[in-house]
Amino acid sequence: MAKPILVANWKNYPGSLAEAKSLIKQLSKDRASYKNLAIFIAPPLTYLDTVSEYIPSFARLASQDISLLDQGTHTGVVTPEILKSFGTRLSIIGHSERRELGETSEEISKKIRIAIRSGIAPLVCIGEKTRDADGEHFEFLRQQIEESLSGLNKNFASKLAVAYEPVWAIGSRAKEAIDPADLSQSVIFIKKVLADMFGRKTAEGIPILYGGSIDVSNATGLASVTGIRGFLVGRASLNAKTFKEIAKSLTSK
Ligand code: PGA
């Protein structure tokens, strides 16, 4: 049975290298709690070196985005080659906070291919902005998935993971996360869209993670939803104790 997946999206926190070092040290002390999970940490790029020093004992490195450009004269760009040289194994692609900055589904589908060619697994984020009683958000989700994964063949599709992150649930307090019944509906729907695109067998192999206000109080309920392989955690991943508790919810499911 494949291990549950837990991804920490540190965004642009902690605010200093010293704090980042202290957080990764605390996390590595808890390494025994993470041994039955596939853990990924996505720190700000400037902390890659420090984090990569402590990470091998319990987790793998991830990036919060990936560049569309390969090595060349591109000022300000961190290429997939550079990420790879630090040991980056997974890239969060198409996070809603990047889509908000203007990233298009076309760019996202290119980034997915770039990541796979670079030997980095893409974790593709999707999620509706609002949820309505008529279920119109499902149409939005279908379109976003189809556009973000357009042009991918089955072979590429089999290498990706999907993070379902309803935008309205991100960065809120724990009680504003999705409820398990609604998450269950969304997972069934996402699987159906993936099966329509790539066939049932490939779709079944694509891990689906949930992200959006995951915290200690809601992790167990959401982890128990059928079809959820793990979590993409923002705010709560910045506290080693909380992160450990969230990990427990996935291993005891
Ligand atoms: P949150 O962030 O856990 O703080 O809601 C999740 C994310 O943005 O990936």
Side-chain angles (χ1 to χ4, degrees):
M1 181 81 169
K3 286 180 176 180
I5 302 168
L6 182 57
V7 183
N9 178 10
W10 285 7
K11 306 194 180 185
N12 44 6
Y13 297 97
S16 72
L17 180 61
E19 287 167 280
K21 197 168 184 169
S22 152
L23 175 57
I24 195 70
K25 271 181 158 173
Q26 284 175 52
L27 287 165
S28 73
K29 276 190 199 142
D30 293 331
R31 65 179 77 86
S33 313
Y34 299 120
K35 69 175 188 307
N36 294 321
L37 293 164
I39 303 277
F40 294 88
I41 312 273
L45 290 177
T46 43
Y47 304 155
L48 278 183
D49 196 23
T50 302
V51 172
S52 67
E53 204 182 302
Y54 290 91
I55 219 170
S57 62
F58 73 102
R60 292 175 215 163
L61 206 55
S63 64
Q64 299 174 14
D65 184 28
I66 198 161
S67 156
L68 279 168
L69 301 166
D70 281 327
Q71 226 148 25
T73 49
H74 312 301
T75 302
V77 167
V78 174
T79 59
E81 288 86 351
I82 298 174
L83 291 178
K84 199 72 207 293
S85 75
F86 280 92
T88 301
R89 300 282 293 274
L90 176 137
S91 255
I92 299 169
I93 295 180
H95 191 283
S96 60
E97 287 156 10
R98 297 210 56 82
R99 291 183 191 259
E100 197 56 41
L101 293 173
E103 187 163 87
T104 63
S105 289
E106 199 186 340
E107 285 168 331
I108 290 162
S109 93
K110 278 192 196 148
K111 286 184 174 185
I112 295 170
R113 271 171 289 216
I114 287 170
I116 293 172
R117 285 200 194 102
S118 310
I120 296 173
L123 175 61
V124 186
C125 300
I126 51 151
E128 74 278 4
K129 289 191 180 147
T130 52
R131 198 171 182 93
D132 57 81
D134 302 333
E136 274 178 34
H137 53 280
F138 287 122
E139 243 350 275
F140 176 92
L141 266 183
R142 174 184 291 281
Q143 199 179 338
Q144 198 183 43
I145 297 169
E146 287 177 350
E147 286 176 3
S148 305
L149 306 185
S150 78
L152 290 186
N153 60 28
K154 279 188 189 183
N155 184 30
F156 272 25
S158 67
K159 296 189 169 70
L160 56 86
V162 168
Y164 171 55
E165 296 207 302
V167 179
W168 53 267
I170 294 177
S172 313
R173 280 155 297 134
K175 64 178 169 42
E176 285 160 41
I178 198 166
D179 73 58
D182 287 340
L183 178 58
S184 176
Q185 275 190 359
S186 293
V187 171
I188 293 167
F189 184 78
I190 293 164
K191 280 189 181 293
K192 164 92 177 77
V193 176
L194 293 173
D196 291 346
M197 290 181 81
F198 304 112
R200 183 180 289 247
K201 196 161 171 265
T202 305
E204 271 169 10
I206 300 176
I208 300 179
L209 314 191
Y210 169 76
S213 300
I214 281 287
D215 213 332
V216 179
S217 60
N218 58 29
T220 303
L222 293 169
S224 68
V225 169
T226 307
I228 283 294
R229 252 298 272 291
F231 296 135
L232 172 55
V233 186
R235 187 180 35 86
S237 71
L238 295 162
N239 179 311
K241 218 168 132 205
T242 310
F243 195 64
K244 189 166 98 176
E245 290 304 310
I246 293 170
K248 261 193 216 156
S249 74
L250 288 170
T251 42
S252 55
K253 89 186 214 152

